[in-house]
């Protein structure tokens, strides 16, 4: 979850480390710190954001450094618990993303040996272990220390006596950026985009020795060839471009994102889809977490309807504790970052059970992309806001492509659906052009502390996603429910202070949804309806209507999702919430 960075080169490290850290704050932002090597190691850290730390730092001309922005796992946010952590003498400094499972026993052992601990963190055992084994060779000391450690980690280690950095990885992401007589290290590529587009992705158990002039990678004692990749994003894509928040920018990028995602797979001339992989399967299992899980639920509906192939969707963190045989089941894992720990764990389990695996991800060269048998990229570009928006729509686009490809194999694909898919960017733009009306509705919603989102069938996952967005960034308690389930308990919570957002497409669920809305209104709850433009019937039964463009019924989750993203955004803005960095959350969930 945390963000780590490192630099070694010919420039002043402090500004590079701080700039890179600022681009990683979506991974954690409760505290931060840096360590710069000059004549000795200087460590500066505190609670708060990188910009706050930048304002109080003294100049430092050192050309080697590392930094950390934290999402707390062990110990509350504090100056003491912030990274980097050092050994007792301040000769070894470490930044770490991950969780050391056996830190308590290591801490007790090291304490008996005379090591003094200052923090509550699991990370602090690492510099003490490195110091314990250091005899003039930093790389060797780190490798020996790692033999004592159980858990997940991406670490960068700096030594006052060594003109180098050592990087190690296990189950937590880290990339090395290649420069000219300089090299960069980071948890994720946005931190590097200002300086290089050439990166190396480390694998589990890799240890990299990084100097100004080169990179040497070993794994279990064997030297590994360096494989360089180009980052397909620009620095401009990772900036706000005049928008007040990254989230609003990313919502507005969605027409382009859908178009970019489809463009690689749909013929510009013929109504034909070419994914380049064999999708045939007796049944499908989709694994995902959070917003990606909701995308998977939409995919289940569409694939089952169009291709008549059974699909089940499981939260990856729970699948890992199920005891089920898979065999010929095709497993599709969905992860924006390609580094989600629970999804990676589920992917490994599926492969061990003999299933063919496919990953839908946004990040070229990510752990999931390298692990799976096949990969489909969403081409959403960097997503900086913690709340996922454009990556969700890009995932939906890929899932529609999969469904239509499978339907074609089964002889059920209609050319009109492919054309409808092509029209989605324009339909989404229509919603963005009407965002002021949604902002007005958000002013009303912002006055409440609890809300329900209801739908049926294909749009139930959209209700779940809408509730997630609202609670993530506005701090309004929100729950998504099947409309027919409210009467089985949640009706007890309905009052005039409990608004209900109802998704009411003109499909086979419409009449039943109207009946549910009448039941809700009988409990005096205000109702906001999402409805297709021109639907005059729904206005008779609800308090407010948010209009969305008319689309084929199967594509209604796309337009409804965009409307709910804007509703959540403007509600959070009205309440004065930190939209891009909501409390307690981080973008890439790399802990289990």
């Amino acid at each position: 979850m945390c963000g780590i960075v490192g630099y070694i080169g010919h420039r002043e490290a402090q500004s590079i480390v701080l700039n890179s850290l600022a681009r990683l704050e979506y991974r954690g932002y409760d505290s931060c710190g840096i360590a710069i090597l000059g004549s000795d190691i200087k460590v500066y850290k505190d609670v708060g954001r990188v910009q706050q730390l930048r304002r109080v730092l003294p100049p430092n001309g050192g050309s080697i450094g590392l930094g950390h922005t934290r999402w707390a796992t062990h110990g509350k946010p504090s100056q003491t618990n912030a990274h980097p952590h050092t050994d007792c003498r301040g000769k070894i400094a470490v930044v770490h993303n991950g969780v050391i499972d056996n830190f308590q026993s290591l801490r007790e052992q090291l304490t008996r040996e005379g090591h003094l601990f200052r923090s509550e963190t699991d990370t602090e055992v690492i510099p003490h272990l490195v110091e314990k084994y250091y005899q003039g060779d930093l790389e060797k000391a780190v490798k020996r220390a790692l033999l004592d450690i159980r858990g997940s980690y991406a670490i960068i280690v700096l030594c006052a006596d060594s003109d180098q950095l050592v990087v190690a990885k296990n189950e937590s992401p880290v990339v090395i950026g290649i420069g000219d007589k300089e090299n960069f290290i980071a948890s994720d590529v946005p931190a590097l985009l200002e300086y290089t587009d050439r990166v190396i992705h480390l694998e589990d158990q890799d240890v990299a020795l990084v100097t100004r002039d080169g990179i040497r990678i070993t794994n279990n004692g064997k030297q590994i060839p360096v494989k360089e990749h180009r980052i397909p994003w620009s620095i401009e894509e990772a900036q706000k471009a005049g928008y007040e928040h990254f989230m609003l920018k990313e919502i507005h990028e969605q027409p382009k994102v859908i178009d970019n995602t489809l463009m690689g797979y749909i013929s510009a001339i013929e109504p034909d889809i070419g994914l380049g992989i064999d999708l045939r399967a007796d049944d499908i299992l989709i694994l995902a977490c959070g917003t990606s899980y909701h995308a998977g639920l939409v995919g289940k509906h569409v694939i089952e309807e169009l291709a008549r192939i059974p699909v089940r969707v499981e939260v990856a963190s729970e699948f890992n504790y199920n005891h089920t045989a898979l065999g010929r089941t095709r497993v599709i894992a969905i992860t924006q970052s390609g580094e989600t720990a629970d999804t990676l764990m589920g992917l490994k389990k599926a492969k061990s059970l003999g299933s063919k695996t496919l990953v839908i991800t946004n990040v070229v060269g990510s752990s999931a992309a390298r692990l799976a048998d096949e990969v489909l990229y969403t081409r959403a570009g960097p997503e900086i806001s913690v709340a996922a928006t454009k990556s969700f729509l890009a995932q939906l686009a890929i899932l529609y492509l999969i469904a239509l490809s499978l339907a074609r194999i089964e002889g059920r694909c209609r050319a009109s659906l492919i054309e409808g898919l092509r029209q989605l960017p324009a339909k989404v733009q229509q919603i963005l052009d009407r965002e002021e009306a949604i902002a007005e509705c958000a002013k009303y919603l912002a006055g409440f502390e609890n809300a329900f989102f209801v739908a049926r069938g294909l749009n139930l996952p959209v209700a779940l996603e809408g509730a997630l967005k609202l609670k993530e960034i506005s701090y309004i308690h929100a729950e998504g429910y099947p409309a027919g389930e409210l009467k089985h308990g949640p009706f007890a919570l309905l009052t005039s202070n409990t608004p209900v957002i109802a998704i009411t497409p003109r499909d086979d669920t419409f009449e039943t949804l109207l009946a549910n809305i009448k039941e809700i209104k009988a409990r005096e709850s205000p109702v906001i309806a999402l409805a297709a433009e021109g639907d005059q019937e729904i206005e008779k039964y609800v308090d407010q209507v948010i209009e969305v463009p008319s689309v084929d019924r199967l594509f209604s989750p796309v337009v409804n999702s965009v409307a709910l993203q804007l509703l959540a955004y403007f509600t959070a803005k009205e309440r004065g919430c930190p939209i891009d960095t909501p409390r307690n959350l981080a973008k890439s969930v790399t802990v289990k």
Side-chain angles (χ1 to χ4, degrees):
M1 308 275 275
C2 306
I4 65 173
V5 300
Y7 173 76
I8 181 168
H10 51 82
R11 293 186 268 179
E12 288 189 1
Q14 183 163 295
S15 62
I16 293 173
V17 168
L18 289 169
N19 290 344
S20 298
L21 272 188
R23 298 190 189 283
L24 286 181
E25 284 193 299
Y26 59 86
R27 299 181 64 88
Y29 34 84
D30 56 48
S31 58
C32 59
I34 65 171
I36 305 297
L37 176 60
S39 57
D40 58 3
I41 296 175
K42 298 294 186 184
V43 175
Y44 312 95
K45 57 184 184 176
D46 210 341
V47 175
R49 306 290 296 273
V50 173
Q51 197 58 38
Q52 296 169 240
L53 183 66
R54 189 194 300 268
R55 285 196 291 265
V56 300
L57 287 180
N60 190 313
S63 59
I64 306 176
L66 46 77
H68 186 276
T69 181
R70 186 171 185 245
W71 185 85
T73 58
H74 294 69
K76 65 184 180 181
S78 69
Q79 185 179 49
T80 302
N81 289 332
H83 299 214
H85 289 287
T86 65
D87 66 314
C88 298
R89 298 181 301 151
K91 294 293 186 180
I92 306 290
V94 174
V95 290
H96 167 226
N97 172 35
V99 174
I100 305 304
D101 296 332
N102 62 333
F103 88 97
Q104 189 61 44
S105 60
L106 290 172
R107 183 180 180 123
E108 291 169 0
Q109 174 188 327
L110 289 162
T111 300
R112 288 193 296 270
E113 295 172 0
H115 293 262
L116 175 65
F117 286 82
R118 306 178 184 91
S119 78
E120 304 168 86
T121 69
D122 56 333
T123 299
E124 196 181 355
V125 300
I126 303 174
H128 286 280
L129 283 171
V130 174
E131 188 270 338
K132 174 181 176 179
Y133 296 119
Y134 182 68
Q135 295 181 341
D137 187 327
L138 181 61
E139 181 187 22
K140 187 175 180 180
V142 171
K143 288 179 176 179
R144 180 60 188 85
L146 293 177
L147 294 178
D148 293 345
I149 288 171
R150 296 195 311 272
S152 60
Y153 54 79
I155 61 171
I156 309 173
V157 185
L158 172 65
C159 177
D161 302 329
S162 179
D163 196 22
Q164 57 192 210
L165 295 172
V166 176
V167 188
K169 175 197 182 305
N170 186 56
E171 298 182 358
S172 292
V174 65
V175 296
I176 300 174
I178 304 171
D180 182 15
K181 299 293 183 181
E182 59 183 351
N183 288 301
F184 311 83
I185 304 153
S187 294
D188 205 352
V189 293
L192 308 176
L193 288 173
E194 184 177 349
Y195 306 107
T196 184
D197 64 351
R198 302 161 58 204
V199 301
I200 300 163
H201 295 273
L202 296 189
E203 304 287 352
D204 285 351
Q205 283 82 54
D206 278 354
V207 176
L209 178 67
V210 183
T211 66
R212 293 177 175 84
D213 299 315
I215 299 155
R216 186 182 74 220
I217 303 172
T218 55
N219 191 306
N220 291 317
K222 295 181 180 179
Q223 187 162 340
I224 306 298
V226 172
K227 296 179 181 179
E228 181 181 321
H229 299 271
R230 291 277 179 175
I231 302 170
W233 303 335
S234 67
I235 184 63
E236 289 76 17
E237 290 179 277
Q239 295 175 333
K240 288 183 182 177
Y243 286 90
E244 186 174 356
H245 297 96
F246 277 112
M247 183 178 181
L248 186 62
K249 170 181 177 277
E250 289 157 8
I251 291 172
H252 276 261
E253 288 175 338
Q254 289 178 128
K256 180 182 177 182
V257 165
I258 298 171
D259 191 50
N260 287 345
T261 300
L262 297 178
M263 186 169 53
Y265 303 113
I266 295 183
S267 168
I269 303 171
E270 301 293 330
D272 193 23
I273 297 172
L275 296 179
I277 57 177
D278 183 4
L279 289 167
R280 284 174 291 192
D282 296 331
D283 64 312
I284 294 171
L285 168 64
I286 297 176
L287 299 175
C289 303
T291 288
S292 296
Y293 173 74
H294 298 153
L297 292 174
V298 175
K300 168 185 168 66
H301 279 273
V302 178
I303 292 170
E304 288 186 338
E305 177 166 336
L306 291 179
R308 301 291 193 269
I309 295 174
V311 181
R312 75 182 194 272
V313 187
E314 294 198 31
V315 175
S317 58
E318 288 302 308
F319 169 75
N320 296 326
Y321 299 99
N322 291 346
H323 301 284
T324 181
L326 293 178
R328 292 175 57 83
T329 298
R330 169 62 72 98
V331 174
I332 300 175
I334 310 175
T335 161
Q336 184 279 138
S337 66
E339 304 294 347
T340 309
D342 290 322
T343 305
L344 288 174
M345 187 175 173
L347 195 57
K348 291 174 183 176
K349 178 179 177 181
K351 286 180 70 72
S352 72
L353 294 173
S355 290
K356 194 168 185 179
T357 56
L358 166 67
V359 158
I360 299 172
T361 186
N362 190 40
V363 181
V364 175
S366 60
S367 296
R370 301 196 305 274
L371 178 63
D373 299 309
E374 295 165 319
V375 58
L376 292 173
Y377 289 109
T378 53
R379 299 172 183 162
E383 187 174 64
I384 307 302
S385 179
V386 167
T389 52
K390 64 177 181 175
S391 62
F392 176 67
L393 254 64
Q395 290 167 356
L396 292 185
I398 291 289
L399 289 164
Y400 281 120
L401 290 171
I402 290 172
L404 289 168
S405 296
L406 288 168
R408 187 180 178 205
I409 294 171
E410 300 296 325
R412 298 190 181 94
C413 185
R414 304 195 308 270
S416 63
L417 288 177
I418 297 179
E419 183 56 33
L421 206 52
R422 286 184 175 134
Q423 292 174 5
L424 283 179
K427 296 291 185 179
V428 170
Q429 188 60 51
Q430 289 179 35
I431 302 171
L432 301 177
D433 293 341
R434 303 169 183 167
E435 68 177 24
E436 290 184 6
I438 299 176
E440 284 300 313
C441 187
K443 290 179 181 178
Y444 170 72
L445 184 60
F448 297 93
E449 295 302 323
N450 299 280
F452 280 99
F453 288 69
V454 297
R456 285 178 177 265
L458 181 61
N459 278 283
L460 174 56
V462 178
L464 301 177
E465 175 62 13
L468 177 61
K469 284 290 155 287
L470 190 68
K471 73 178 79 172
E472 277 183 306
I473 63 169
S474 76
Y475 307 153
I476 294 173
H477 173 246
E479 297 296 332
Y481 253 87
E485 285 295 300
L486 285 184
K487 56 185 175 286
H488 297 292
F491 263 12
L493 299 175
L494 294 187
T495 70
S496 59
N497 290 317
T498 315
V500 177
I501 296 89
I503 304 172
T504 61
R506 278 288 189 166
D507 59 17
D508 56 359
T509 68
F510 184 74
E511 290 187 1
T512 312
L513 269 164
L514 283 185
N516 297 142
I517 287 170
K518 293 173 186 176
E519 295 165 355
I520 292 165
K521 289 298 295 178
R523 276 76 186 172
E524 299 185 346
S525 289
V527 176
I528 301 168
L530 264 65
E533 55 191 351
D535 187 342
Q536 298 178 353
E537 181 71 12
I538 194 68
E539 295 177 357
K540 302 173 185 176
Y541 306 102
V542 302
D543 299 273
Q544 296 194 44
V545 176
I546 296 174
E547 288 192 341
V548 297
S550 295
V551 293
D552 185 284
R553 178 183 62 82
L554 286 175
F555 301 131
S556 60
V558 173
V559 292
N560 289 330
S561 294
V562 177
L564 292 181
Q565 290 168 357
L566 288 168
L567 183 64
Y569 171 80
F570 286 113
T571 301
K573 184 179 178 182
E574 186 70 18
R575 290 166 67 93
C577 298
I579 292 173
D580 286 331
T581 53
R583 66 186 178 215
N584 302 330
L585 300 180
K587 181 69 176 173
S588 182
V589 185
T590 57
V591 294
K592 298 170 187 173

